[in-house]
């Protein structure tokens, strides 16, 4: 008998292969950068939390994938680097064909960790 998949694994398994691969890569990168982060489903989408607070969330939609940095500061601070990606209030859209570069994702994650640690102090 096999164990039921986690809610995150079930979410990813339901996606088209290209979106699943893009989000699994994002998920792996975030988990590597913040090994203490906990994954959960919040508001119906996969979310990383650090010390009980939202770090970032990600999702797949019909025509794109999204990352939700849970802070507008990153989107504002990196507007030039984000040219070519569609941004809306609190979200950054990308496609499996044009994922976020690893270095940009790392900057986002590190900035969010710093924001959360600063707020906890």
């Amino acid at each position: 008998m096999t164990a039921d998949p986690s809610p995150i694994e079930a979410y990813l398994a339901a996606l088209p292969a290209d979106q699943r691969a893009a989000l699994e890569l994002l998920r792996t990168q975030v988990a590597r950068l913040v090994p203490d982060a906990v994954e959960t489903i919040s508001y119906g989408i996969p979310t990383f939390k650090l010390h009980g607070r939202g770090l970032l969330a990600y999702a797949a939609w019909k025509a794109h994938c999204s990352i939700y940095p849970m802070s507008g500061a990153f989107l504002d601070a990196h507007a030039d680097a984000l040219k070519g990606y569609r941004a809306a209030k609190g979200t950054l859209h990308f496609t499996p064909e044009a994922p976020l570069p690893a270095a940009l994702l790392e900057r986002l994650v590190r900035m969010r960790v710093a924001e959360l640690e600063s707020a906890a102090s």
Side-chain angles (χ1 to χ4, degrees):
M1 184 177 265
T2 60
D4 289 336
S6 76
I8 284 90
E9 290 165 352
Y11 178 93
L12 293 169
L15 300 176
D18 61 341
Q19 288 183 323
R20 181 174 51 252
L23 293 183
E24 285 178 342
L25 178 60
L26 184 148
R27 179 185 188 207
T28 300
Q29 291 170 312
V30 174
R32 178 183 53 80
L33 291 166
V34 192
D36 293 339
V38 174
E39 280 187 285
T40 188
I41 296 286
S42 183
Y43 295 97
I45 61 174
T47 303
F48 280 95
K49 291 188 173 187
L50 184 62
H51 311 301
R53 300 195 55 213
L55 175 65
L56 65 85
Y58 57 94
W61 305 102
K62 184 176 181 179
H64 65 273
C65 296
S66 292
I67 187 166
Y68 302 88
M70 299 186 181
S71 165
F74 180 82
L75 299 177
D76 294 340
H78 294 85
D80 287 342
L82 296 172
K83 285 189 171 135
Y85 295 96
R86 209 170 91 227
K89 184 174 176 142
T91 182
L92 183 61
H93 300 196
F94 62 95
T95 63
E97 300 78 32
L100 295 178
L104 186 60
L105 178 62
E106 183 171 345
R107 285 195 307 242
L108 183 155
V109 170
R110 294 201 185 285
M111 185 174 185
R112 282 296 296 139
V113 168
E115 286 177 343
L116 291 174
E117 289 176 349
S118 174
S121 304

